[in-house]
């Protein structure tokens, strides 16, 4: 995978990627498995993770308006790492 430098929310607006996900602290029904389990080998994915404590509601809403899907990460982490 390619890991880029830190970017601003606005930098993420026009990125052309197959799957755009943002780690949410408020989303509880849309778990990451829904997207990861359906990825093809050649799919490109961008996964936005905010600082400790998560993104603000305004930042997450802005990313949603840019086509990023809010996902809940905890359940997947529990299934795969705990």
């Amino acid at each position: 995978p390619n890991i880029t430098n830190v970017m601003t929310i606005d930098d993420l607006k026009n990125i052309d990627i197959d799957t755009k996900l943002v780690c949410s602290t408020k989303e509880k029904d849309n778990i990451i498995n829904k997207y990861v389990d359906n990825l093809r080998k050649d799919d490109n994915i961008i996964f936005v993770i905010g600082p400790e404590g998560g993104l603000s509601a305004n930042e997450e809403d802005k990313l949603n308006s840019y086509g990023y899907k809010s996902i809940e990460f905890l359940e997947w982490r529990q299934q795969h790492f705990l």
Side-chain angles (χ1 to χ4, degrees):
N2 293 331
I3 299 175
T4 65
N5 292 326
V6 174
M7 301 172 80
T8 68
I9 300 294
D10 289 330
D11 290 339
L12 300 169
K13 183 176 184 177
N14 296 315
I15 292 180
D16 185 25
I17 295 286
D18 300 319
T19 302
K20 299 177 182 179
L21 303 176
V22 57
C23 189
S24 176
T25 57
K26 62 183 181 179
E27 179 61 54
K28 300 298 178 212
D29 297 323
N30 202 16
I31 62 171
I32 192 173
N33 304 47
K34 177 180 176 180
Y35 296 97
V36 173
D37 292 346
N38 293 313
L39 290 175
R40 297 180 315 252
K41 186 177 182 178
D42 60 342
D43 280 349
N44 291 308
I45 184 170
I46 186 169
F47 189 64
V48 179
I49 302 172
E52 185 175 348
L55 297 167
S56 72
N58 288 339
E59 290 169 326
E60 187 174 334
D61 290 344
K62 193 175 216 183
L63 285 167
N64 294 152
S65 76
Y66 296 162
Y68 289 76
K69 305 296 182 201
S70 293
I71 54 97
E72 198 271 324
F73 187 68
L74 180 60
E75 184 172 324
W76 182 83
R77 184 179 59 139
Q78 289 173 338
Q79 292 174 2
H80 291 82
F81 297 111
L82 299 177

